[in-house]
Structures are given as C-alpha cells and as structure tokens.
Amino acid sequence: MSIVRVALDMPLSTLFDYVLTDGVAVMPGQRVIVPFGRKQVVGVVMECAANSELAAERIKPVVRVLDEIPPLPAELLTLLRFCSDYYHHPLGATVLSALPVRLRSCEPITLKEALHYTLSTIGRALDLSLVPKRKVVQQRILTALQAGVLSAAQLRALSPSAPTALKALLQSGWVESVSLKPSLTLSKQGLTFNNAHILTAAQQQAVDAVTQSHGYGCFLLHGVTGSGKTEIYVHLMHRMLQQGGQVLLLVPEINLTPQLENYFRSRFPDAELVSLHSGLGDSERTQNWLRAQSGSARIVLGTRLAVFTPLPQLALVIVDEEHDASFKQQDGLRYSARDVAIFRANQRGVPIVLGSATPSLESYYNAQSGRYRLLQLTERALAAAKLPTLRCINTSNAFMQHGVSEQLLTALEQNLQRGEQSLVFINRRGYAPVLMCTACGWLSDCPNCAGKLVLHLQDRRLRCHHCGHQVRVPHACPSCGNADLQPVGIGTQRVESALQERFPEARILRVDRDSTRNKGAWNAMRRQIHDDEVDILVGTQILAKGHDFPNLTLVGVLNPDGALYSSDFRASEKLFAQLAQVAGRAGRADKPGEVLIQTAFPDHPLFRALRDHDYNAWAKILLAERQSAGFPPFVYQVLLRAEGKLETGVYAFLQQGREAAVALAIAVEVYGVVPAAMPRRANHSRAQILVQCESRKLLQQFLRAWKPLLDALPAQKLRWSLDIDPLEF
Ligand SMILES: [Zn+2]
Ligand SMILES: [Zn+2]
C-alpha cells in the first residue's frame, strides 16, 4: 500500500493518513485533494509511507493529486515543521497558513508565463531612423530589443509610457510577444545595475563584511537614520544577484513596499522583482509566490508572511527595521518573522542582515555577546545632512493650548515663514481620548471593553478603538443630564483644528488611520508632501516609519510621557525607537533639522540619550534594568492567554493550567494568573499566565510537556493560546 501523511488545516497536531490509488506517485510537498468528513479539502503531503497504524478499511483514498505546480521544497517543509514545534501550533494549520489562499483551494492553478518581447522579422529589418523622432519611447523600446528578448517588466522600466508605446509597436507588427519558460529567462539575462551612489567608507566596510563571510552569518546593521542602510542593501543585492541568487527582503509595513519596489526596480531594471503582502489580491499574490518558487523572481520584497516563500536560489535575507513589532504575528501561528528569517538563513547557510537605527534589545544583546556581528554606521551618508538637534520643552511650566506649547507654536510659525515643512507627532487619533461631564465626573466608557470611547468630532461620534463600538456624541451627560461635556486629553483631530485656528493660512494635513483608511489615500498624501503642497503634518506613527521628506525640518512631539512609566517593560524601548524614527524625519537633505519634545520629564535618561543620538548609552541602561529585573533578553518567556464571556470560566481554566504547570516540576518560573493589560475587550474577559526561564531549551522542554495537558483541560466557551516570545502583554 502507498500511504501518504497529509497536513490539513485543522486544530489538531496530527497528520492524516490517506491511501493512493495504484500507479499514482506523489512527493512530499505536493498538494492533494482528500476527503475530510463530508467535505473535500486541500492538504500537503508531508511524508510517504508503506503502511499505516490505522486499519486498512478506515483509510480513505486521495481524491486527486494537484501536480500543476511543483511540490513545496523539502527545505520549506522543514522550516514549517520547525515553526510548528517552536511555536506549539498544529503542523497542518502551520503548513496551510503559509500558503497563499488560492493554493489552499481545490481550484486549479497555473503559473502564468510572463510575456516577453522580441523584434519581429520586419522589426529586425527596420531602419530605426524611419521611426518618427517624436516617438521617443518607441525608439527606446526598439533599440533595447535589438539587444535581445526582454520581459514586460524590463520594458516597463524604460519609461512610464512604455506599455502604450509597446501596444502601438505590437499593432504595427514590428514587435511580437514570445513565451519563455520562467526558469530559462534567469540564466540568459545579464544584470543591469544602476549604480548612482558611491559608498562611504563605512558603507563599503559593511558591504565587505557581509560579502566576505562564508555561509550563515547574522549581521546587525545599526545605522543612524539617514546613514544609507538601503544603499548597503542595494550593493549586497547586486552581489548576490550577480551570482545567480535570490534575495528576500522583509519590511514591517505594507505602506513601505510600493516606494521600495520602485526604488529597487530603478536600480535593477532587469531583475524580476515581486512583492508579497496581504494588500495584494489573491490571484496576484499567488502568481508572485509561484514566480518566487520557480526561481524567476530574483528579488522578493514583502511583509512578515513573505518569510515562508519558497526560494530555490535564496542567497541573502534582509530584515529592514528589525526592531519593529509588526514582524510578530498576533494570532494563529504567533511567529516572529525576524526570528524565522534567522532560522531560515541558518538552515540555508546564507547571510542575513538585520537593519535598524534602533535595534531591538534582543538583537543588540546578541551582537554584544558575539552571536551576531555588529556593523555600525554612525554618520549620515550625505555629508551635508546633519543629525537633527533635539530639545525638550518642559510642560510642567509651559503655557499650553490644546496640548501644544507656546514654544512649539512659535517654532512652527518661524518654520512656516521660512517655507519649510513641519511635523507634529502625537500617537493618538481622534479628537480627544475621552469625554467627561464637568458636573458629575462621568466618563465615556466603552460598554464592552475596559477602555474609553474616543471622541471623534468630525463625524460627532464616540468610538471604541478596541471593539469598534460607536455612538453619537450625547448632548447631555447620560448620568446627570448636565449639558457641559468636555473633551479630556488630545488627539490628532484636536491638534489639527487648533493649529488651523492659529495658522489659518497654513496647509495642514492630518495623517492617521482614519484619514488613510481608503485605498491609495496614503500614497496620494505622500505625493502632496513631496510636492510641497503641505506646510504642517499632524500625524501618528504612520509618519514615523522610513519615509523621506526632504523639505521637512521641524518635528514637534506631543505627550510621549505615558510610555516612560508604563507597566509594559518594553514601552520605553518602543518609545525610544519611535522618537528616534520620527526625529530622523527632520533635516534629511541639505537643511538642518530641529526636534522639540514636550515632556514633564526633560531630564529622563531616555531624552538625554535621544538628544545625544546615543542609542548605545540608552541600550546599556535598558539592558542593566532588564538584567536586574530578570526580563528578556536575559530570560525567555511564554504567555498562556485565555479569553471568554464568563470571567469565572477564564480564571478557572488558567488556574488549572497553572496547577498542571507547577505539577510538572520543571525548573521554569510559573507566575500567577493575572488580568491582561486590557482585561475586558468586546465583552470578553481576558487573563493570562507568564512562564519564563533562562534556558530556551528547558522552556521548550516544559512546553512540550505542558501543551498536551492544556489540550486536555475542559475549555468550553473560551479561547486560549500560547504565545512564545510574546511582545504584547
Ligand atoms: Zn454628569
Ligand atoms: Zn470597546
């Protein structure tokens, strides 16, 4: 008998046995359609075997082998097995969740051949001087095709109007399309490299360190904002592409991919580049994935899910902004794409570069202890671009209007007069975080959550940012009937309207999740900012990440103090990263930048380190704190979370889980059952247990023993999950 063990998308940690009809052969990694209950589902063959533990009559046959695309490579299956083991997530669910949606469905899939173009017989005989001179783009295409066959992407890179010109050439019969097997295009292509930049000595050293290493090596590229990390990526890519390799580049934000995509295309016009992120349609994502698997896509640019892309020629992995929390998936398979990428590079024996201006403490610690190699860039790449100067405005003795100090208003006014752009950063959207009754002290609580309803004045609503609950703003206090309700605290909308009142002539643009909700909205805004159609930006962290605005010279930061004394031990690490990022937006071209931070604690070491642009000093302080408190990176953690409508049920489950953990008598620290940071959300009570240990190995050993005990506990009407290396509490 030929038995196959199949991974199915089920919340069970087992594989499922099926039998193959005689004469049908499969390989591990191949997709199959199998019966499950009354349905037919797609699964992935993980193993082939001669016999099964099940009785022969109980084993159902495979319905169909899906062989229109090649099987998943063994290397990817190993990676997925590792993730399933390490994150204690069912193997089938892990394998299937790594595939694009289309590949999880029973519908047939084909890899569309990328169209290529060549000169036709008449095209080849054509005298180019006969083409009208004003048809510049047609001329350019014909000249390029004289050198050989080109792909649609290569032609697109010639000019924005290339598609129109190509259409005309196809109609005139001078150019014709040909289909090439994707793998053939690879070796025949030369590689054009538009090398517009000369590397600084520090950049060159970083490039050399990576290219001269052999096999696996993890490099932490720590460079101040504007130090030219992207240029290092480009040069590393060039090296790897020249040698026929594929490059995987992970970024934290979908918003960042279109810019980077255009940039890398302009540098490598004939290397095929695909992007992979959740913003793509199912069909496009599947095609891009298949092009990576076939080896024809040479550069794969994507968000965390791209870490599971099959890449037969993978030669280099880059994780940009490695400290960013969005690399961690917060549900289902709760993986860290950065950590999985490191495992993957190690498995493959290739270098990985983690880039950041403010590395995560975990990575910094690993670089200090020699596990990673540290590459530092301490100066900005453009000699003229100096790091911004930073000043704190002490809010305890400043005159404030709607949360903005008089000093900041004056600075904004001067910047307006100079015709330069300013950014006011506040990490809270809406008008005010809460509405209050001045008579009885009533606050706009969310009825479903432990949070407050945020005042949105634009559409006159109170809205919960946790569960989405919303109501109209009441005319009077629901508790005492008093008509005087006051907004408390500030959000982006309030700052926007206060600034508009103060500077009626200024063009003010608010950038937050509300204003960028519509597709393409943020891209249009970016263009406005670049084209200098905006004087003052008011925005949240969307603005902080990796964007380059050459005319932006002043940054004001409102209200960062909450994070300084937060119960979340990572809050101040995140705040430093965020402020360094947002400060890094100021003065990137030839104009000096200034950053003003409004705080009640101007002497806090965090602000001192920011002022001195001294990440190392700050990291040392934090590491010392973490070491004495026994927090990561000195320990490894796992969080057992549970939530359900019945608070008693949630706590009873966790209590039993805790007793089971203690009874195992393994040398890990098991903490008590505590409410989650958000103890109630969308009418669900939420609580958790933290377990930690200095040894990752011992913690994993504990989890292997604990997980089956948890699986066996009664857990009616509640959901629970294990979060390994949690970032949020
Ligand atoms: Zn009241
Ligand atoms: Zn709510």
Side-chain angles (χ1 to χ4, degrees), residues 442-463:
W442 169 87
L443 293 172
S444 55
D445 288 312
C446 174
N448 311 324
C449 302
K452 304 279 183 256
L453 295 174
V454 177
L455 175 62
H456 285 251
L457 259 197
Q458 242 175 5
D459 49 1
R460 302 206 53 85
R461 299 209 155 241
L462 292 172
R463 200 170 275 143

Side-chain angles (χ1 to χ4, degrees), residues 446-451 453 464-469 678 681-682:
C446 174
N448 311 324
C449 302
L453 295 174
C464 175
H465 289 184
H466 300 282
C467 72
H469 175 82
M678 187 79 190
R681 192 166 70 189

Side-chain angles (χ1 to χ4, degrees), residues 99-119:
L99 297 179
V101 178
R102 280 282 168 91
L103 298 183
R104 288 179 239 163
S105 84
C106 299
E107 302 298 312
I109 303 287
T110 42
L111 172 54
K112 291 190 195 126
E113 282 177 355
L115 278 178
H116 284 70
Y117 299 91
T118 182
L119 292 177

Side-chain angles (χ1 to χ4, degrees), residues 436-442 476-482 484-485:
M436 188 183 83
C437 168
T438 52
C440 74
W442 169 87
C477 170
S479 167
C480 75
N482 166 36
D484 186 22
L485 299 176

